[in-house]
Structures are given as C-alpha cells and as structure tokens.
C-alpha cells in the first residue's frame, strides 16, 4: 500500500491548493523541451515560441534522451515534467536524419498525454530577421487574433487537429471582455496543401477610418515558417468525454417557458386551460328567469280579462 504524504509547512500547502481542481481553472502553461539532438533552426523556433509565451511557459534547456511521445513508455518522463511544472501543453523539439527539424505539440489531461501533433519546420524566419518599427511590436501577454485561411481546416482531419492545438497553444488566458486598443497581434495560418500550412505572426497597426471601428493593417514581425504535418494522434473517446465534462455548478439551469430576445429582452409564456363556458350548468333559481315568468303570467292574465269582457 502506497503511503500518502501530507505537506509539512504552509508553503507546500499553498502550492498544493494552487494545483487542486477548481471550478474555473487557471490559464494553461506550456512546457518547452529539447530532444537528444536539436538543430540550430529548431533551437531558434523554440526560443521564439518561448518569447511569444514568456508569461505562461517553462523552458528546459537540457537534452532529454528518454522522451519519445509517440512510443509506448516514451511519454513517462514527459508526464513527470508536466506534473512537476503544472503545464498542460508542451512543445518538444528533436532533429534526426529521418525527421529533420521535428516539432511535437501536445496537450495533457490530468498530466497524462491527451493528443499529439507532429510537424516538420521548413523555411523558418526568426523574429530577429524582420525589420519594422519597434513601436509596433506586440506587448507581452496581449490577446491575439487568429486567421485560418483555407478549406482544409474544415475538411482535412490532420489540419483540423492542428488548428485545435495551435488555438490552445497561442490563445493565452480566456477572458470575457476585450478592448480594441489591446488587440495588437494576429496569427495567420494558410493552407498550402493537404499536409502543409504556412504560419506567420503579424502586428496590427490601427489607423483612422472615419468611423468608430479603426482600419487595421498587418505588419509581419515573425516568426514565420512552413509546418509540414507528419503524424498526429487523437484522444480516445472516453478520455475526450472525461476532459470535456463540465462541473454542475457551471452549467446554467434552463428556465421553463422563458426565452430571450435582443430587442424585447426576457419573454415568458403563461399557459391557461381552455375555459369551457358552454358546458357550465346555470342555477335553477336565476333572477332573470323569475322575472320573465312573472311578466309572461301577467300578460296571460291580461289577455283573459280582455276575452271575458
């Protein structure tokens, strides 16, 4: 029987409370690792990704010989590092003769591998290779736009999966409201072929347009690269259901007979049973019936008097 260790000081207790399950989870952190061999191109790619996600990422610079995400048993060290750093996303870079400039992007659920996408990096341009006005450089931690161009993101399974992973990797913290002034960057992903995507990072320049909404111009600030999809692994259906399950406290209870309208607001329906008036029995001694009988009796007596006279 395994022994359960309890925290011995306040610092350890606070750290455990931070990692405990919550109704509203914290933002996802990214773990960046190197494989046994990495090329200079791959080192620059990992450095730029770390720069884009500097506030919510952890980067390891040592080589990791035992990490092979797609092989059984090769994900043990990766899951350990995920638990140690409390990261639910990871980017693993490796370089070999068979798979050059290889990048594995994956997600974890409960610090176990959830899904994986393997891409090859080609035609890479680092952030330092672009020349532009430094005043336009996006601020660290700002929320980005995403532009996915091409029908392949809706029809090709590999590209649909890549789209989900890229959104999870670069979207940052989930917020309910945004200011237009704070939107200063956009990630553009364009389908080139069924397994190739052009990825680039651009800054937004806001200009006057004569209306409330400003005119936007894109200035490429890097990094820029071609992503060649090699392998991908989708999660099991049971694991997907467990990951997508929401807490009962967060699900909004449906109100019966109530609907919403953008103009009229809250609209309610009241149901009234049919009023069957014709089937209701009238009382026998109604005042109106008595009066009619009395008047008829008086008219009949008056006719008899006329006939007698």
């Amino acid at each position: 029987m395994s022994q359960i260790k309890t925290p011995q000081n306040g610092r350890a207790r606070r750290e455990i409370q931070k990692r405990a399950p919550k109704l509203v989870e914290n933002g996802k952190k990214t773990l960046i690792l190197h494989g046994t061999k990495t090329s200079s191109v791959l080192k620059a790619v990992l450095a730029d990704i770390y720069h884009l996600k500097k506030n919510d990422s952890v980067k390891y610079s040592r080589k990791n010989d035992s990490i092979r995400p797609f092989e059984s048993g090769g994900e043990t060290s990766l899951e350990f590092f995920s638990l140690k750093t409390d990261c639910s996303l990871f980017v693993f870079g490796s370089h070999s003769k068979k798979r050059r400039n290889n990048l594995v992007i994956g997600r974890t659920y409960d610090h176990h591998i959830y899904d994986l996408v393997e891409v090859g990096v080609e035609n890479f341009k680092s952030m330092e290779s672009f020349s532009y006005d430094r005043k336009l450089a996006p601020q660290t931690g700002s929320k980005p736009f995403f532009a996915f161009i091409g029908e392949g993101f809706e029809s090709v399974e590999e590209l649909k999966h890549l789209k989900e992973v890229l959104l999870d990797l670069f979207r940052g913290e989930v917020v309910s409201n945004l200011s237009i002034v704070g939107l200063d960057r956009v990630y553009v992903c364009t389908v080139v072929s069924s397994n190739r995507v052009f990825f680039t990072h651009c800054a937004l320049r806001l200009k006057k347009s004569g209306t409330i909404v400003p005119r936007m111009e894109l200035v490429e600030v890097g990094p820029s690269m071609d992503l060649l999809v090699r392998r991908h692994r989708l999660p099991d259906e049971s694991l997907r259901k467990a990951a997508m399950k929401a807490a009962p406290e967060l699900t909004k209870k449906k109100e019966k007979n109530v609907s919403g309208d953008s103009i009229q607001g809250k609209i309610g329906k009241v149901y009234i049973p049919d009023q069957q008036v014709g089937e209701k029995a009238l009382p026998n001694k109604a005042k109106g019936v008595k009066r009619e009988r009395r008047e008829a009796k008086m008219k009949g007596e008056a006719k008899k008097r006329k006939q007698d006279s």
Side-chain angles (χ1 to χ4, degrees):
M1 185 176 179
S2 61
Q3 185 180 1
I4 299 174
K5 294 183 179 181
T6 57
Q8 300 297 324
N9 52 32
R11 181 182 177 184
R13 292 191 194 96
R14 288 191 295 271
E15 190 64 27
I16 289 177
Q17 287 177 359
K18 286 181 183 178
R19 301 189 181 192
K22 305 177 183 64
L23 288 177
V24 181
E25 293 289 345
N26 302 330
K28 295 182 179 181
K29 293 169 62 179
T30 304
L31 178 63
I32 300 173
L33 307 104
H34 293 262
T36 306
K37 293 181 180 180
T38 51
S39 62
S40 58
V41 173
L42 210 55
K43 288 180 181 178
V45 172
L46 296 177
D48 283 359
I49 292 175
Y50 176 70
H51 180 79
L52 293 173
K53 296 179 60 65
K54 200 168 186 178
N55 289 343
D56 53 355
S57 63
V58 178
K59 184 181 179 184
Y60 284 174
S61 58
R62 291 184 178 180
K63 296 180 180 179
N64 298 277
D65 301 335
S66 59
I67 295 180
R68 291 175 177 84
F70 281 92
E71 298 179 9
S72 60
E75 71 276 0
T76 307
S77 299
L78 189 60
E79 292 175 352
F80 170 75
F81 290 140
S82 172
L83 178 62
K84 182 180 179 181
T85 57
D86 194 24
C87 293
S88 55
L89 291 161
F90 67 88
V91 180
F92 177 72
S94 62
H95 179 75
S96 64
K97 186 177 180 180
K98 186 177 179 181
R99 292 186 175 90
R100 296 178 178 276
N101 300 326
N102 199 53
L103 208 63
V104 179
I105 309 170
R107 297 180 287 184
T108 63
Y109 172 69
D110 196 18
H111 303 295
H112 294 286
I113 299 296
Y114 179 73
D115 61 351
L116 298 167
V117 175
E118 184 183 67
V119 295
V121 179
E122 297 180 0
N123 304 325
F124 173 72
K125 294 181 181 179
S126 64
M127 301 174 71
E128 297 177 355
S129 62
F130 289 88
S131 58
Y132 58 93
D133 187 2
R134 295 300 167 180
K135 293 180 181 179
L136 298 174
Q139 298 179 359
T140 306
S142 61
K143 290 290 290 182
F145 277 121
F146 286 91
F148 291 95
I149 304 170
E151 296 180 358
F153 287 117
E154 302 298 331
S155 58
V156 182
E157 186 179 359
E158 291 85 354
L159 299 185
K160 286 172 67 176
H161 191 196
L162 179 64
K163 176 184 176 181
E164 290 181 9
V165 174
L166 290 177
L167 277 172
D168 230 1
L169 180 64
F170 291 108
R171 70 175 180 176
E173 188 176 353
V174 179
V175 294
S176 57
N177 295 320
L178 279 176
S179 174
I180 297 180
V181 181
L183 297 171
D184 56 359
R185 68 174 72 193
V186 57
Y187 293 103
V188 182
C189 302
T190 308
V191 176
V192 180
S193 63
S194 60
N195 64 340
R196 184 182 292 270
V197 173
F198 173 68
F199 173 86
T200 187
H201 176 224
C202 300
L204 287 175
R205 179 187 292 173
L206 303 180
K207 288 192 172 184
K208 294 181 180 179
S209 62
T211 60
I212 299 175
V213 180
R215 184 168 61 89
M216 296 184 180
E217 290 185 357
L218 299 183
V219 179
E220 196 170 8
V221 297
S224 171
M225 66 191 96
D226 286 344
L227 299 178
L228 184 65
V229 181
R230 289 172 176 164
R231 290 185 291 178
H232 78 115
R233 191 174 77 189
L234 294 170
D236 297 331
E237 192 63 29
S238 59
L239 185 62
R240 182 189 290 272
K241 287 182 179 179
M244 296 295 180
K245 190 176 181 181
E249 292 83 357
L250 296 177
T251 55
K252 189 177 179 181
K253 293 184 179 179
K254 186 178 179 181
E255 295 182 82
K256 290 184 178 180
N257 304 327
V258 176
S259 61
D261 191 279
S262 58
I263 299 174
Q264 299 180 8
K266 200 172 184 179
I267 303 173
K269 291 182 180 180
V270 179
Y271 289 91
I272 301 174
D274 295 337
Q275 298 180 0
Q276 299 175 354
V277 182
E279 297 180 0
K280 295 290 183 180
L282 297 175
N284 295 328
K285 297 180 180 180
K287 292 182 180 180
V289 175
K290 287 182 179 181
R291 187 175 62 250
E292 290 177 358
R293 289 177 180 175
R294 190 166 50 249
E295 291 177 356
K297 188 177 180 181
M298 290 174 65
K299 288 181 179 179
E301 291 177 355
K303 286 181 179 181
K304 285 182 179 180
R305 288 174 188 174
K306 288 182 179 179
Q307 290 176 358
D308 295 339
S309 60

